[in-house]
Amino acid sequence: MFFPVGAHKEVGLAFNPLKAIISPRPIGWISSIGADGVHNLAPYSFFNAISESPPMLAFSSSAGTEGDKDSLKNIEETGDFVVNIVSKQLFEAMNASSAALPRAVSEFAEANLTPKPSKLVAAPHVAEAPCYLECRLWKVLDLPASPNGNANRLVIGEVLGIGIEKALITDEGKVDVTRYQPIARLGYKDYASIDAVFESPRPQE
Ligand SMILES: Cc1cc2nc3c(=O)[nH]c(=O)nc-3n(C[C@H](O)[C@H](O)[C@H](O)COP(=O)(O)O)c2cc1C
């Protein structure tokens, strides 16, 4: 089967399969703070690491009818943010934090989570998260807008600091993801968790 973008229904697919195909995607659970001091928390799965040294990551925010999302507005105002990692245990809280709340309302309270002060940035992190990355904004790139005119904007940040819960570190000094089972986004309303890992050397190693 092959079809040009947008023609999935003509070949019998009820939904656009793009996000099911580009999966699993990690979830950047972005915490930020506005100039007014209000905290914000929301999940973004158009998210990934984009370079190792310096460590950089990016997520993209798709504007709605009311313009840019609160995370992006805060990050542009204050110049920093934190990426929190979603464990299996935190799945429901992550989902709750995706509710479209007024900017003056913090999703931390709504999702029953604790905002904890960060060390290197103004944005708080999620105290309950297994790991988090404190980031400084590098650039916001304007991507092509959607056909209805809504903006898509790519937020690129540099990782300045890394927080990891001690109990997740093995005797060998590695992070054992199976101890917190990070959640990944698939297509449709589907998710997966990393419950098992296998190791393999690279060729010539
Ligand atoms: C798992 C998950 C992944 C999401 N990924 C994105 C994304 O990549 N980009 C985006 O614009 N919205 C994404 N959303 C929707 C936002 O989380 C939602 O619009 C949220 O209300 C934005 O909050 P904010 O305005 O406080 O930033 C996602 C929602 C969920 C549940």
Coordinates of all heavy atoms in Angstrom, one line a residue, residues 125-161:
H125 N 11.1 21.1 38.8 CA 10.9 19.8 38.2 C 9.9 19.0 39.0 O 9.4 19.5 40.0 CB 12.2 19.0 38.1 CG 12.9 18.8 39.4 ND1 13.8 19.7 40.0 CD2 12.8 17.7 40.2 CE1 14.2 19.2 41.1 NE2 13.7 18.0 41.3
V126 N 9.5 17.9 38.4 CA 8.5 17.0 39.1 C 9.2 16.2 40.1 O 10.0 15.3 39.8 CB 7.8 16.1 38.1 CG1 6.8 15.2 38.7 CG2 7.1 17.0 37.0
A127 N 8.9 16.4 41.4 CA 9.6 15.7 42.5 C 9.5 14.2 42.3 O 10.4 13.4 42.6 CB 9.1 16.1 43.8
E128 N 8.3 13.7 41.8 CA 8.0 12.3 41.7 C 8.7 11.6 40.5 O 8.7 10.4 40.4 CB 6.5 12.1 41.6 CG 5.7 12.4 42.9 CD 5.4 14.0 43.0 OE1 5.9 14.7 42.2 OE2 4.7 14.3 44.0
A129 N 9.2 12.4 39.6 CA 9.8 11.8 38.3 C 11.1 11.1 38.6 O 11.9 11.5 39.4 CB 10.0 12.9 37.3
P130 N 11.3 10.0 37.9 CA 12.5 9.2 38.2 C 13.8 9.9 37.7 O 14.9 9.7 38.3 CB 12.3 7.9 37.3 CG 11.3 8.2 36.3 CD 10.4 9.3 37.0
C131 N 13.7 10.7 36.6 CA 14.9 11.4 36.1 C 14.3 12.7 35.5 O 13.2 12.8 35.1 CB 15.5 10.7 34.9 SG 15.8 9.0 35.2
Y132 N 15.2 13.7 35.5 CA 14.8 15.0 34.8 C 16.1 15.7 34.3 O 17.2 15.4 34.8 CB 14.0 15.9 35.8 CG 14.8 16.3 37.0 CD1 15.6 17.4 37.1 CD2 14.8 15.5 38.2 CE1 16.3 17.8 38.2 CE2 15.5 15.8 39.3 CZ 16.3 17.0 39.3 OH 17.0 17.3 40.4
L133 N 15.8 16.5 33.3 CA 16.9 17.3 32.6 C 16.6 18.8 32.7 O 15.6 19.2 32.2 CB 17.0 16.8 31.2 CG 17.0 15.3 30.9 CD1 16.8 15.0 29.5 CD2 18.4 14.8 31.4
E134 N 17.5 19.5 33.4 CA 17.4 20.9 33.4 C 17.9 21.6 32.2 O 19.1 21.3 31.8 CB 18.1 21.5 34.7 CG 17.4 20.9 36.0 CD 18.0 21.6 37.2 OE1 18.8 22.5 37.2 OE2 17.6 21.1 38.3
C135 N 17.1 22.4 31.5 CA 17.5 22.8 30.1 C 17.4 24.4 30.0 O 16.5 25.0 30.6 CB 16.6 22.3 29.1 SG 16.5 20.5 29.0
R136 N 18.4 24.9 29.2 CA 18.3 26.3 28.9 C 17.9 26.4 27.4 O 18.3 25.7 26.6 CB 19.7 26.9 29.0 CG 19.9 28.4 28.5 CD 21.2 28.9 28.9 NE 22.3 28.1 28.3 CZ 23.5 28.1 28.9 NH1 23.8 28.8 29.9 NH2 24.5 27.4 28.3
L137 N 16.9 27.3 27.1 CA 16.4 27.5 25.8 C 17.6 27.9 24.9 O 18.4 28.8 25.2 CB 15.4 28.6 25.7 CG 14.8 29.0 24.4 CD1 14.2 27.8 23.7 CD2 13.9 30.2 24.5
W138 N 17.7 27.3 23.7 CA 18.7 27.7 22.7 C 18.0 28.5 21.6 O 18.4 29.7 21.4 CB 19.4 26.5 22.1 CG 20.5 26.8 21.1 CD1 21.7 27.4 21.4 CD2 20.5 26.5 19.7 NE1 22.4 27.6 20.2 CE2 21.7 27.0 19.2 CE3 19.6 25.9 18.9 CZ2 22.0 26.9 17.9 CZ3 19.9 25.8 17.5 CH2 21.1 26.3 17.0
K139 N 17.0 27.9 21.0 CA 16.3 28.6 19.9 C 14.9 28.1 19.8 O 14.6 26.9 20.1 CB 17.0 28.3 18.6 CG 17.5 29.6 17.9 CD 18.3 29.2 16.7 CE 19.6 30.0 16.8 NZ 20.6 29.8 15.8
V140 N 14.0 28.9 19.3 CA 12.6 28.4 18.9 C 12.6 28.6 17.4 O 12.8 29.7 16.9 CB 11.5 29.2 19.6 CG1 10.2 28.8 19.0 CG2 11.6 29.1 21.1
L141 N 12.4 27.5 16.7 CA 12.3 27.6 15.2 C 10.8 27.5 14.8 O 10.1 26.7 15.2 CB 13.0 26.4 14.6 CG 14.5 26.3 14.7 CD1 15.0 25.1 13.9 CD2 15.2 27.5 14.3
D142 N 10.5 28.4 13.9 CA 9.1 28.4 13.3 C 9.1 27.3 12.2 O 9.8 27.4 11.2 CB 8.7 29.7 12.7 CG 8.4 30.7 13.8 OD1 7.9 30.3 14.9 OD2 8.7 31.9 13.7
L143 N 8.3 26.3 12.4 CA 8.1 25.2 11.4 C 6.9 25.7 10.5 O 6.2 26.6 10.8 CB 7.7 23.9 12.0 CG 8.7 23.4 13.1 CD1 8.2 22.1 13.7 CD2 10.1 23.1 12.4
P144 N 6.7 25.0 9.3 CA 5.6 25.4 8.5 C 4.3 25.3 9.3 O 4.2 24.4 10.1 CB 5.6 24.4 7.3 CG 7.1 23.9 7.3 CD 7.6 24.0 8.7
A145 N 3.4 26.2 9.1 CA 2.1 26.2 9.9 C 1.2 25.1 9.3 O 1.4 24.6 8.2 CB 1.4 27.6 9.7
S146 N 0.2 24.7 10.1 CA -0.7 23.7 9.6 C -1.6 24.3 8.6 O -1.7 25.6 8.5 CB -1.5 23.1 10.8 OG -2.5 24.0 11.2
P147 N -2.4 23.6 7.8 CA -3.2 24.2 6.7 C -4.2 25.1 7.3 O -4.6 26.1 6.6 CB -3.9 22.9 6.1 CG -3.0 21.8 6.4 CD -2.3 22.1 7.7
N148 N -4.6 24.9 8.5 CA -5.6 25.9 9.1 C -4.9 27.2 9.7 O -5.6 28.0 10.3 CB -6.5 25.2 10.2 CG -5.7 24.8 11.4 OD1 -4.5 25.1 11.5 ND2 -6.3 23.9 12.2
G149 N -3.6 27.3 9.5 CA -2.9 28.5 9.9 C -2.3 28.4 11.2 O -1.6 29.3 11.6
N150 N -2.6 27.3 12.0 CA -2.0 27.3 13.3 C -0.5 27.0 13.3 O 0.0 26.2 12.5 CB -2.7 26.1 14.1 CG -4.1 26.5 14.5 OD1 -4.5 27.6 14.5 ND2 -4.9 25.5 14.9
A151 N 0.2 27.7 14.2 CA 1.7 27.6 14.1 C 2.2 26.3 14.7 O 1.6 25.7 15.6 CB 2.3 28.8 14.9
N152 N 3.3 25.8 14.1 CA 4.1 24.7 14.7 C 5.5 25.2 15.0 O 6.1 25.8 14.1 CB 4.2 23.6 13.7 CG 2.9 22.9 13.5 OD1 2.2 22.4 14.4 ND2 2.5 22.9 12.2
R153 N 5.9 25.1 16.3 CA 7.2 25.7 16.7 C 8.0 24.7 17.4 O 7.6 24.0 18.3 CB 6.9 27.0 17.5 CG 6.0 27.9 16.8 CD 5.7 29.2 17.5 NE 6.9 30.0 17.5 CZ 7.2 31.0 18.4 NH1 6.4 31.1 19.4 NH2 8.3 31.7 18.3
L154 N 9.3 24.6 17.0 CA 10.3 23.7 17.5 C 11.1 24.4 18.6 O 11.8 25.4 18.3 CB 11.2 23.1 16.4 CG 12.1 22.0 16.9 CD1 11.3 20.7 17.1 CD2 13.1 21.8 15.8
V155 N 11.0 23.9 19.8 CA 11.8 24.4 20.9 C 13.1 23.6 21.1 O 13.0 22.4 21.3 CB 11.0 24.3 22.2 CG1 11.8 24.9 23.4 CG2 9.6 25.1 22.1
I156 N 14.2 24.2 21.0 CA 15.5 23.5 21.1 C 16.2 24.0 22.4 O 16.3 25.2 22.6 CB 16.4 23.8 19.9 CG1 15.6 23.4 18.6 CG2 17.7 23.0 20.0 CD1 16.4 23.7 17.3
G157 N 16.6 23.0 23.2 CA 17.3 23.4 24.4 C 18.6 22.7 24.7 O 18.8 21.6 24.1
E158 N 19.4 23.3 25.5 CA 20.7 22.6 25.9 C 20.5 22.1 27.3 O 20.0 22.8 28.2 CB 21.8 23.6 25.8 CG 23.1 23.0 26.3 CD 24.3 23.9 26.1 OE1 24.2 25.0 25.6 OE2 25.4 23.5 26.6
V159 N 20.9 20.8 27.5 CA 20.8 20.2 28.8 C 21.9 20.7 29.7 O 23.1 20.6 29.3 CB 20.8 18.7 28.7 CG1 20.7 18.0 30.1 CG2 19.7 18.1 27.8
L160 N 21.6 21.3 30.9 CA 22.6 21.8 31.8 C 22.8 20.9 33.0 O 23.9 20.9 33.5 CB 22.2 23.2 32.3 CG 21.9 24.3 31.3 CD1 21.5 25.6 32.0 CD2 23.1 24.6 30.4
G161 N 21.8 20.2 33.4 CA 21.9 19.4 34.6 C 21.0 18.2 34.5 O 20.0 18.2 33.8

